[in-house]
Amino acid sequence: MKKIKAGRQPNRSRAGDVGVAIVLMIFGAFFAFPLVYAINAAFKPLNELFIYPPKLFVRNPTTDNFSDLFLLLNKQGVITFTRYMFNSVFVTTVGTIGHIIVASMAAYVLAKYRFPGSRTFFAAVTVALMFTGYVTQIPGYLIMAKLGWTNTYLSLIIPAFASPMGLFLMKQFMESSIPDVLIEAAKIDGAKEGKVFISIVMPLVKPAILTLMIFSIQALWNNAGTTYIYRDELKMLPFALQTVGAGGVARTGAASAATLFLMIPPLTCFILAQSNIVETMASSGIKE
Amino acid sequence: MSYANWRASKKRQAHFLWKDIKEHRTCYLFLAPYAIVFTLFFIAPVLVSIGYSFTYFNVLQPARFIGFQNYINLILADDIFLTAVKNTFLIAAITGPIGYIMAFIFAWLIHELPRSIRAIAVLVFYAPTISGQVYLIWSIIFSGDAYGYFNAYMVEFGFIDNPILWLTDPRYMMIIVIVVQLWLSLGAGFLSFIAGLNTIPADQYEAGYVDGVRNRWQELWYITLPNMKSMLMFGAVMAISQSFNTADVSMNLCGFPSTDYAAHTVVTHLIDYGSTRFEMGYASAIATVLFAVMYLCNKFIQRALMRLGT
């Protein structure tokens, strides 16, 4: 029986395998095309950007577009590129760390205990998976204003703590990967709930932590921060790069460089954490 | 049961509930930080939205109760809303199911690949979702002049004579929005499917082979799909959310508002009233309608998926 797993599965035809590969390659090209384009365009010199007919691949790569981009951003106004960079890095880091701590604590008790209100609460989180920023934006603004959080980093950082996707994935993962006996044994040995959480539960859910990290970075890093913030010096990197793109055709080169620049951090994180993410998503199902 | 008995039993229940809550106080402590933030920024906005949907509210003056007037105006007096609804349903009806099925098929086909190249394939298909601000690229591809890639190739191969204004001609805008939305639609559901396929125990496939599963299609139908029900539900929630909330693609590619409102969606309509015209009550009514539709759609699909494989 073990033999079957090691070699080819006997109910697969060669022709079918080739077909699978071809279908994936065709669609893969469609999915990869804009990204391949972005990478190439960012390194194209001016004469290649406006060549007719347009060519996909760059022939004489240059970093001119990047130096243009930084020059543009630095002379644009009083706010420098480094300031936007700091805003984005700061908000993404604090928001992600806070999200992981807050969501894991909640996920732990929801996964391992049944207490009044716990199931209703989780059901509400599952429904909230469908929310997007725009639907809650208006009342969200009124609430932010009441709290006095408009024009502060808090308006971006704090809501990120309670991202429904994070709690959902973490709870499902804890439910399937932490045996109850382990927690009971630790308690018999006299460990308090906080100690169990920090020294037993958290080390066991590393793949899920990395997954939450990726989803959180993805959301925060791509956030322009213009919903609750009006002061330019507090806005995020995507806002700065959007203003470059808004400069019109002449700035195509710098805007392509900006697009690539924004894409790199989340893409790198995903590549590094991919196997952990797949492991976590294995328990992502909605039961019942 | 007499009234006295009934009261006594109610009291006993309340007593047990209170004891239960007290016993789990550490649990509530752990849940509290998340629960507070979640309530404040996810639950409260929905409730506030429903509340304001029955009022006239322009932020400057206090809200004034007007009953169902916003909803009545929405359906009877707002032609642009009807355009938005039509567009949103068209986008949702196409990108929702196709995106969902596509995510599953790609995940399944990738699973058929040798283990070593699976990771790369996953990256290629998932990259659009991670990369965020990629609208610039699409707007260059579909740019209206001859430098736009799509125009250039179409002219080159003789399909069209002159460049077409893909992003500002109402005849083509919706198609472009749908194509780009599909490109973006693999998302978290796709990752869930990829992971789900890994968890199906190998002995089920072996048993299936012994029982006469002859090819990969039979295997998909009889073994794989029934094993993936919970992932399929998660994917459905993601697909509904994405397909009904289309706004960014439309605004970034076709402009806001788009020519003749041809790519206007319910969410861009909401943004128009909420952020441009400051008619918060009306915008809240739009949000409430959208939310109700998504919720019902979700319930309906969950019901349908329950029947899978039975």
Side-chain angles (χ1 to χ4, degrees):
Chain A
M1 269 298 165
K2 282 267 176 249
K3 268 277 156 55
I4 293 177
K5 251 196 291 180
R8 283 180 56 77
Q9 281 166 301
N11 53 2
R12 292 292 193 274
S13 65
R14 283 268 177 219
D17 284 350
V18 173
V20 166
I22 290 172
V23 169
L24 279 178
M25 269 193 272
I26 292 170
F27 283 96
F30 170 66
F31 278 87
F33 178 77
L35 303 174
V36 173
Y37 169 83
I39 294 165
N40 279 287
F43 293 102
K44 275 181 188 168
L46 200 60
N47 58 349
E48 279 187 48
L49 277 168
F50 296 106
I51 203 168
Y52 182 83
K55 294 269 181 293
L56 177 58
F57 293 105
V58 57
R59 271 170 298 178
N60 304 304
T62 158
T63 52
D64 283 358
N65 291 328
F66 289 91
S67 39
D68 272 2
L69 170 67
F70 296 119
L71 212 67
L72 260 175
L73 285 170
N74 274 330
K75 71 171 189 208
Q76 213 164 39
V78 269
I79 303 135
T80 58
F81 178 70
T82 38
R83 177 64 204 245
Y84 288 120
M85 188 79 190
F86 169 79
N87 289 346
S88 269
V89 171
F90 179 77
V91 166
T92 305
T93 314
V94 178
T96 301
I97 293 172
H99 171 54
I100 291 169
I101 296 170
V102 169
S104 305
M105 279 167 61
Y108 168 55
V109 291
L110 288 175
K112 289 298 159 194
Y113 297 95
R114 179 78 56 83
F115 51 93
S118 63
R119 302 189 79 182
T120 317
F121 188 81
F122 189 67
V125 172
T126 314
V127 172
L129 283 173
M130 288 191 294
F131 294 6
T132 53
Y134 293 120
V135 182
T136 54
Q137 186 171 315
I138 297 159
Y141 184 82
L142 299 173
I143 292 167
M144 287 292 174
K146 269 261 163 11
L147 292 167
W149 285 2
T150 48
N151 276 323
T152 62
Y153 292 134
L154 288 178
S155 67
L156 295 175
I157 294 173
I158 304 290
F161 284 3
S163 154
M165 178 77 100
L167 175 75
F168 178 80
L169 292 177
M170 187 56 101
K171 185 247 178 192
Q172 302 295 75
F173 189 75
M174 283 177 169
E175 218 160 54
S176 62
S177 68
I178 299 174
D180 288 338
V181 271
L182 205 64
I183 296 170
E184 277 157 29
K187 281 200 187 139
I188 290 166
D189 291 344
K192 288 250 162 51
E193 207 66 80
K195 177 126 176 74
V196 174
F197 175 69
I198 291 168
S199 47
I200 294 173
V201 175
M202 288 311 265
L204 280 175
V205 294
K206 266 189 201 132
I209 294 176
L210 281 168
T211 308
L212 262 62
M213 202 176 87
I214 298 294
F215 280 117
S216 177
I217 289 175
Q218 221 170 288
L220 287 167
W221 181 257
N222 289 322
N223 193 333
T226 48
T227 314
Y228 306 125
I229 293 178
Y230 296 106
R231 277 163 57 195
D232 277 355
E233 74 266 27
L234 292 177
K235 287 179 183 170
M236 308 291 126
L237 204 52
F239 165 76
L241 300 175
Q242 276 162 17
T243 58
V244 173
V249 188
R251 291 196 184 163
T252 304
S256 306
T259 305
L260 184 64
F261 188 83
L262 265 185
M263 249 159 58
I264 286 172
L267 215 55
T268 316
C269 291
F270 180 78
I271 292 169
L272 294 177
Q274 195 185 342
S275 61
N276 287 292
I277 297 171
V278 171
E279 194 181 327
T280 308
M281 297 304 284
S283 53
S284 67
I286 298 177
K287 281 138 207 151
E288 235 150 325
Chain B
M1 210 190 324
S2 73
Y3 177 68
N5 264 340
W6 180 79
R7 264 193 62 172
S9 87
K10 270 279 155 212
K11 226 176 145 180
R12 224 174 13 250
Q13 269 177 23
H15 174 74
F16 280 124
L17 181 67
W18 181 239
K19 234 182 102 188
D20 206 8
I21 290 174
K22 256 171 57 184
E23 243 169 49
H24 287 101
R25 58 182 177 276
T26 339
C27 288
Y28 290 103
L29 223 61
F30 268 72
L31 189 63
Y34 186 92
I36 292 168
V37 180
F38 181 72
T39 309
L40 212 51
F41 298 110
F42 290 88
I43 302 208
V46 173
L47 299 180
V48 170
S49 217
I50 295 172
Y52 277 129
S53 74
F54 297 105
T55 65
Y56 174 80
F57 182 41
N58 60 8
V59 195
L60 300 173
Q61 296 159 312
R64 181 161 48 81
F65 182 77
I66 54 167
F68 282 95
Q69 198 55 50
N70 283 328
Y71 293 97
I72 293 168
N73 289 349
L74 208 51
I75 294 161
L76 296 180
D78 191 345
D79 288 342
I80 298 164
F81 177 68
L82 295 183
T83 310
V85 167
K86 208 182 72 205
N87 288 340
T88 304
F89 272 115
L90 189 64
I91 294 171
I94 295 174
T95 67
I98 294 181
Y100 181 59
I101 293 167
M102 206 169 67
F104 182 81
I105 290 179
F106 289 144
W108 178 60
L109 291 179
I110 287 172
H111 193 74
E112 297 275 297
L113 292 174
R115 202 171 279 275
S116 50
I117 49 174
R118 268 184 222 167
I120 298 166
V122 170
L123 180 68
V124 167
F125 282 91
Y126 190 65
T129 315
I130 329 170
S131 40
Q133 311 279 338
V134 286
Y135 304 109
L136 173 84
I137 304 168
W138 283 106
S139 58
I140 292 173
I141 291 173
F142 287 116
S143 167
D145 52 32
Y147 294 110
Y149 279 58
F150 198 57
N151 270 332
Y153 289 125
M154 292 290 269
V155 173
E156 187 90 341
F157 295 121
F159 288 112
I160 52 177
D161 295 327
N162 291 306
I164 289 175
L165 296 167
W166 297 107
L167 299 174
T168 40
D169 187 332
R171 277 177 297 171
Y172 306 111
M173 283 151 69
M174 278 295 279
I175 300 170
I176 308 285
V177 169
I178 287 170
V179 167
V180 177
Q181 188 67 35
L182 275 175
W183 181 75
L184 280 169
S185 66
L186 290 188
F190 171 68
L191 288 184
S192 176
F193 296 155
I194 289 274
L197 288 164
N198 286 337
T199 59
I200 300 171
D203 52 3
Q204 284 207 20
Y205 287 122
E206 283 161 21
Y209 178 64
V210 172
D211 286 348
V213 169
R214 285 285 153 258
N215 54 46
R216 55 189 110 208
W217 302 103
Q218 287 182 355
E219 194 179 274
L220 174 70
W221 188 251
Y222 292 110
I223 302 170
T224 311
L225 279 176
N227 265 305
M228 300 250 316
K229 252 185 222 176
S230 62
M231 278 84 188
L232 290 170
M233 293 237 189
F234 176 74
V237 171
M238 293 291 113
I240 293 168
S241 159
Q242 274 174 344
S243 56
F244 274 103
N245 285 299
T246 304
D248 284 325
V249 175
S250 161
M251 290 195 295
N252 283 291
L253 291 182
C254 301
F256 174 62
S258 47
T259 317
D260 289 350
Y261 292 105
H264 208 52
T265 67
V266 172
V267 176
T268 61
H269 202 56
L270 169 100
I271 295 168
D272 187 12
Y273 276 92
S275 313
T276 319
R277 306 184 200 209
F278 289 108
E279 288 196 28
M280 299 305 189
Y282 197 66
S284 295
I286 300 171
T288 308
V289 169
L290 178 69
F291 190 69
V293 170
M294 285 201 311
Y295 185 78
L296 290 176
C297 195
N298 183 29
K299 279 270 164 276
F300 175 75
I301 288 172
Q302 296 218 348
R303 190 90 30 98
L305 282 173
M306 289 297 237
R307 300 222 184 89
L308 200 73
T310 56

